[in-house]
C-alpha cells in the first residue's frame, strides 16, 4: 500500500508576501514620492512577519508541561486469536 502524501502548504513568508502588491498600491496612492523606499520596507517587514508570527504562534499553542505522575492510566486491549489459515495453491 502506498503511503499517503502530506498536503503541501505555502510557507508563511510567502503567504505574507501575497499582501505585498496591495500594500505597495496603497503606499503609491498615499505617498507617491516616497513609494520606492516604502515598498521595499513593506516587503522586508512582511517577510519578517512571515518568519516571526508562526514561531510566536507555535510557542503560544505549545502544551503546558504536566508534572510527572507515577500512576499513568492504561488501557488493556483484549487478545484476539486468529484461526490458522490454510495454504492457497
Amino acid at each position: 500500500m502506498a503511503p499517503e502524501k502530506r498536503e503541501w502548504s505555502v510557507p508563511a513568508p510567502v503567504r505574507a508576501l501575497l499582501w505585498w502588491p496591495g500594500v505597495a498600491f496603497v503606499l503609491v496612492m498615499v505617498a507617491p514620492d516616497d513609494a520606492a523606499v516604502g515598498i521595499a520596507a513593506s516587503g522586508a517587514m512582511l517577510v519578517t512577519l512571515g518568519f516571526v508570527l508562526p514561531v510566536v504562534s507555535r510557542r503560544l499553542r505549545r502544551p503546558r508541561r504536566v508534572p510527572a505522575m507515577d500512576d499513568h492510566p492504561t488501557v488493556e486491549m483484549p487478545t484476539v486469536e486468529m484461526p490458522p489459515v490454510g495454504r492457497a495453491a
Side-chain angles (χ1 to χ4, degrees), residues 46-84:
L46 287 171
V47 169
T48 303
L49 282 175
F51 279 113
V52 171
L53 288 179
V55 173
V56 170
S57 67
R58 269 187 248 127
R59 277 234 155 148
L60 293 175
R61 287 185 301 187
R62 187 172 45 189
R64 303 271 185 230
R65 289 190 174 192
V66 178
M69 299 185 306
D70 293 332
D71 188 24
H72 295 289
T74 58
V75 176
E76 292 185 25
M77 300 297 289
T79 304
V80 177
E81 293 185 23
M82 302 295 289

Side-chain angles (χ1 to χ4, degrees), residues 15-41:
R15 277 194 315 254
L17 277 178
L18 291 175
W19 288 89
W20 199 15
V23 171
F25 178 75
V26 170
L27 287 172
V28 169
M29 296 276 91
V30 172
D33 296 334
D34 301 325
V37 175
I39 291 171

Side-chain angles (χ1 to χ4, degrees), residues 1-5:
M1 191 155 116
E4 292 185 29
K5 292 184 178 182

